[in-house]
Amino acid sequence: MIAGAIAGAVVVGLAVWLGPLVLAVVRGGFLEATPDREFQGSHIQVLKDVHRALLAYADSEGALPRAEGWMDAAWTRLKTSDMKDDQVRRRLQARGIGEDGRYGLAMNESLSEGDPWNPEDETRILVFESQADGWNAVGDPAKDASDRVADPMGVTLAGEVVPLAP
């Protein structure tokens, strides 16, 4: 009986002591679920995001990814806990692509497993809007630029989004 009274007093004391903190947490919305984020960027933002993801990969792995796995490497750096998979796919789609399973971006195969910090390569195209539309597409930006848009773009190793030469 005395033990029950002591336990009750401890519970009441904790409730009085922690009550304002719990109330602030509830009122602040910290216990509510966050809505899923939707990607709303332009084709330029897509290229910049992919560039950042591939450089983050290179920063941790010491080199750019193999061209045949570049989208896999970018995916893990573009995916966030508040973004569904279909939204991440949109971050890997070029202009003129509106359906699932098609992407329209390709990595410059000559930069596969290369050094992204080589100053001689900083103006070379890393990823570009391509004719190929499959996952992990590779190619040559001079030969394989997209024919879906009038002015295909690419992003250089330095991160500059530029038009591809016709």
Side-chain angles (χ1 to χ4, degrees):
M1 180 118 145
I2 293 176
I6 292 173
V10 168
V11 169
V12 169
L14 284 173
V16 168
W17 183 47
L18 294 176
L21 176 64
V22 171
L23 187 59
V25 166
V26 170
R27 283 187 181 160
F30 291 107
L31 300 178
E32 295 176 11
T34 20
D36 289 329
R37 188 164 47 116
E38 290 192 26
F39 177 67
Q40 310 222 347
S42 67
H43 65 284
I44 292 172
Q45 190 63 48
V46 165
L47 290 168
K48 287 181 177 184
D49 287 351
V50 168
H51 172 264
R52 272 193 297 276
L54 293 178
L55 286 189
Y57 174 91
D59 195 37
S60 67
E61 303 300 321
L64 291 167
R66 289 179 46 86
E68 296 79 16
W70 74 270
M71 280 186 149
D72 302 312
W75 177 277
T76 60
R77 283 142 182 98
L78 293 171
K79 175 85 169 118
T80 60
S81 63
D82 63 344
M83 187 174 277
K84 291 186 176 181
D85 288 355
D86 66 316
Q87 296 301 309
V88 182
R89 283 187 201 92
R90 287 186 58 205
R91 293 179 80 181
L92 289 166
Q93 283 183 320
R95 289 179 289 170
I97 303 289
E99 51 193 87
D100 288 338
R102 296 182 61 215
Y103 299 93
L105 294 178
M107 180 178 168
N108 184 344
E109 63 187 333
S110 69
L111 293 175
S112 180
E113 298 181 289
D115 178 4
W117 299 281
N118 182 351
E120 295 174 9
D121 289 338
E122 67 182 13
T123 60
R124 292 180 66 199
I125 300 295
L126 174 61
V127 173
F128 61 98
E129 294 177 318
S130 168
Q131 294 175 31
D133 60 6
W135 185 259
N136 287 324
V138 298
D140 179 347
K143 297 176 186 172
D144 303 319
S146 174
D147 53 3
R148 284 183 289 277
V149 293
D151 57 342
M153 308 288 278
V155 63
T156 66
L157 268 175
E160 184 180 357
V161 176
V162 296
L164 298 177

